[in-house]
Amino acid sequence: SGDGLRTRVLELLEMVGIAEPERRQRQYPHEFSGGMRQRVLIAIGLACRPALLIADEPTSALDVTVQRRILDQLDELTAEMGTAVLLITHDLALAAERADRIAVMQSGEVVESGVAAEVMRDPQHPYTQRLLGAIPALNATTKPPREASTDVELMAAVDLVKVYPTGRGATFRAVDNVSLIMPKGTTVSIVGESGSGKSTVANMILGLSEPTSGTITLDGQARPRDRAGLKAFRRRVQPVFQNPYASLDPRFTVARSIAEPLKVHRIGDARSRLTKVDELLEQVALPSAMGSRLPHQLSGGQRQRVAIARALALGPELVVLDEAVSALDVLVQQQILDLLSDLQQRLGLSYLFISHDLAVVRMISDIVHVMKSGRIVESGPPAEIFDRPQQDYTHELLAAIPRGV
């Protein structure tokens, strides 16, 4: 019946961690964050209590607390109804914690398989060993502390608020009085659950969304609002998003995609832009011959390198990386993180790193901000946040991380 169906929808939304399911069930996908859309897809997959659930990277876009809730539900289905789960993932710690058996694939072949605990404890194939060696460890060494003399402010956001109308006069406060400072040449990270407001903060800093209130400054100057001023601002602040395939025009060659910002900003002529494209490809460790290819002809890691090259085309000072490595397998993720570190040292870049992967955040950050429900609840150097967290929410995030076996 209609009432029973509605009740079941609300149950499923609540089960996958969608807050305010009564309000959310009336909304459209574009009103949800990427992680929240993924939760809805998982709810659809679980709705009919299937006999076999093929879960292809079902939690890669989700924060660890929601990931745990979803996987607990899958475990319950398996136990109660005999549902079999085929889990496809690049997260080996997750596979070790949740799977009974693991099959490791390389170049279309299963190179190793067996009981999950045994494969993780004593991998036999060199590829499996490489995968395990590339997993970011939560207890990994953090970046060395910055010298006080390096703390020259590049960007500051003060008391940012973002309120969205939700219909019938109601509003939703997605970001609530968030303040952060970006020193030059550093990496500042924002972590939190899907829907916590971290991507909304990034979009406001990029100028893709206007704050309801609050200020954003670059070198002490307020971010302009007029078209010409914003265009100049965006030469200095560039984004790299989670899905490079979605952010690269599938009709454009790699060279055209990278050269597009130069053309838009009327930098150089056709010949000098081609030379610049070759230089940018070299910076991100791609051969110049790659410039003639289309996005679908590249691997995920190659596409993300192209997205980074495109972001660097205008010589920005601040790069906003919104979940830029969360969709990549651990080997490619390690390569991209090494590349970002190398570019930061060579070019003096500042990074605002948005992520739900706490192990990666610990490894690359100078300062970490923890967000929940639109607010920053805890801030500090990574060693302090991860070794001596003060807030219950931060403890909860750390406790939910898959530990493997």
Side-chain angles (χ1 to χ4, degrees):
S1 69
D3 287 344
L5 181 63
R6 182 173 171 278
T7 299
R8 179 61 176 154
V9 167
L10 294 175
E11 287 174 355
L12 286 163
L13 290 175
E14 187 172 359
M15 179 189 72
V16 297
I18 300 289
E20 302 180 82
E22 179 70 43
R23 177 174 68 86
R24 290 292 194 177
Q25 55 125 358
R26 297 190 296 270
Q27 293 183 314
Y28 290 89
H30 74 271
E31 298 178 86
F32 281 35
S33 70
M36 292 172 72
R37 287 195 291 268
Q38 183 74 323
R39 296 188 213 184
V40 173
L41 287 174
I42 292 168
I44 293 170
L46 296 175
C48 295
R49 304 177 75 86
L52 170 63
L53 185 65
I54 301 174
D56 189 352
E57 297 284 5
T59 60
S60 62
L62 302 179
D63 59 87
V64 288
T65 52
V66 175
Q67 175 180 270
R68 180 174 60 180
R69 190 180 304 130
I70 297 297
L71 294 172
D72 285 348
Q73 178 66 24
L74 293 181
D75 287 345
E76 288 175 19
L77 271 176
T78 304
E80 292 175 13
M81 299 194 63
T83 298
V85 178
L86 176 59
L87 178 64
I88 300 168
T89 182
H90 62 253
D91 189 332
L92 291 182
L94 176 67
E97 183 178 90
R98 297 289 178 163
D100 297 301
R101 295 184 61 82
I102 290 178
V104 181
M105 288 192 70
Q106 182 189 27
S107 303
E109 295 183 9
V110 174
V111 295
E112 185 166 359
S113 63
V115 176
E118 293 176 2
V119 171
M120 296 294 288
R121 185 169 53 246
D122 187 23
Q124 300 299 306
H125 195 275
Y127 179 68
T128 311
Q129 294 166 1
R130 285 175 58 210
L131 286 176
L132 291 173
I135 298 174
L138 192 61
N139 58 358
T141 304
T142 58
K143 290 176 73 174
R146 304 185 313 279
E147 297 179 9
S149 60
T150 66
D151 285 354
V152 178
E153 180 183 301
L154 173 64
M155 187 279 297
V158 180
D159 295 332
L160 290 184
V161 172
K162 186 64 178 180
V163 177
Y164 292 104
T166 57
R168 300 180 182 178
T171 59
F172 171 63
R173 205 173 181 92
V175 174
D176 190 4
N177 289 307
V178 164
S179 297
L180 57 89
I181 292 174
M182 288 283 317
K184 288 185 177 181
T186 63
T187 299
V188 174
S189 294
I190 303 177
V191 299
E193 292 181 330
S194 170
S196 63
K198 54 189 189 295
S199 288
T200 305
V201 170
N203 287 338
M204 287 191 286
I205 288 171
L206 286 165
L208 300 176
S209 175
E210 280 295 323
T212 305
S213 63
T215 60
I216 297 168
T217 60
L218 191 66
D219 278 340
Q221 301 296 312
R223 193 192 69 199
R225 293 172 180 256
D226 62 288
R227 186 173 180 178
L230 269 176
K231 190 174 180 180
F233 173 86
R234 286 177 179 143
R235 285 191 63 167
R236 304 176 64 190
V237 181
Q238 284 285 299
V240 177
F241 296 113
Q242 177 176 352
N243 185 351
Y245 193 67
S247 57
L248 296 173
D249 192 318
R251 302 165 301 172
F252 286 11
T253 64
V254 164
R256 186 177 174 186
S257 287
I258 295 174
E260 187 183 26
L262 299 170
K263 188 174 181 180
V264 168
H265 287 264
R266 299 181 179 178
I267 298 172
D269 55 20
R271 183 183 295 272
S272 66
R273 286 176 202 142
L274 285 176
T275 301
K276 182 66 174 177
V277 166
D278 287 345
E279 292 173 1
L280 289 162
L281 286 170
E282 184 179 352
Q283 277 189 337
V284 298
L286 289 176
S288 59
M290 196 73 74
S292 62
R293 296 190 186 181
L294 293 168
H296 76 270
Q297 296 174 300
L298 276 59
S299 69
Q302 288 172 332
R303 284 195 291 264
Q304 197 61 293
R305 287 173 186 267
V306 171
I308 293 169
R310 190 176 191 273
L312 296 179
L314 298 173
E317 297 159 70
L318 172 61
V319 179
V320 179
L321 299 132
D322 192 353
E323 298 285 7
V325 298
S326 64
L328 304 176
D329 66 76
V330 288
L331 289 175
V332 177
Q333 180 186 80
Q334 183 183 49
Q335 293 168 4
I336 297 298
L337 292 173
D338 289 344
L339 170 65
L340 291 172
S341 176
D342 178 60
L343 290 170
Q344 185 172 56
Q345 291 175 15
R346 287 195 285 120
L347 304 177
L349 295 171
S350 301
Y351 295 141
L352 178 61
F353 195 83
I354 312 293
S355 181
H356 61 257
D357 191 325
L358 299 180
V360 168
V361 164
R362 171 165 190 151
M363 202 165 53
I364 69 165
S365 306
D366 295 292
I367 295 292
V368 178
H369 299 284
V370 182
M371 280 193 75
K372 179 185 181 184
S373 303
R375 300 181 69 91
I376 290 177
V377 297
E378 188 163 1
S379 301
E384 186 177 304
I385 294 292
F386 289 87
D387 296 338
R388 297 178 294 280
Q390 301 299 307
Q391 297 294 318
D392 290 343
Y393 176 68
T394 311
H395 280 285
E396 183 184 351
L397 285 177
L398 293 171
I401 297 172
R403 304 289 171 168
V405 294

